[in-house]
Amino acid sequence: MRIQSNKTQKWQLARSISAEDKNFRANVSTVPAYELKTKAARGFRDIGVNFTKTDLDEYIASVLSGRDYRFVITF
């Protein structure tokens, strides 16, 4: 997923995304399947990242299969 950021905030955004991804992956087993998309979208929106439906589906699929997901921050 490509994320637009301003140049001065890119490192903070990268740290926030990494922390949210780590938190979501750590708690995914405790979240009912029907709430996964809502929880992921809410967590990332709270730090200023908005998913398209396709990006969100790909992210959830990668988490459930144990694969990494690539976030690209541009400015």
Side-chain angles (χ1 to χ4, degrees):
M1 174 194 348
R2 187 170 298 277
I3 302 163
Q4 186 69 31
S5 172
N6 94 26
K7 190 173 183 178
T8 60
Q9 294 177 341
K10 70 179 181 181
W11 298 115
Q12 179 58 40
L13 182 60
R15 284 188 290 274
S16 295
I17 289 170
S18 177
E20 183 59 36
D21 179 51
K22 189 179 207 178
N23 181 49
F24 183 75
R25 288 175 186 270
N27 295 313
V28 75
S29 62
T30 64
V31 177
Y34 62 89
E35 289 183 6
L36 286 175
K37 285 185 183 180
T38 303
K39 183 166 176 47
R42 187 179 326 123
F44 283 102
R45 280 189 193 122
D46 286 349
I47 60 172
V49 176
N50 291 313
F51 279 100
T52 64
K53 183 181 181 327
T54 304
D55 288 337
L56 185 57
D57 290 343
E58 289 175 6
Y59 175 71
I60 296 295
S62 72
V63 169
L64 292 175
S65 65
R67 293 179 289 120
D68 287 337
Y69 184 82
R70 184 170 299 243
F71 294 92
V72 178
I73 300 173
T74 62
F75 53 90

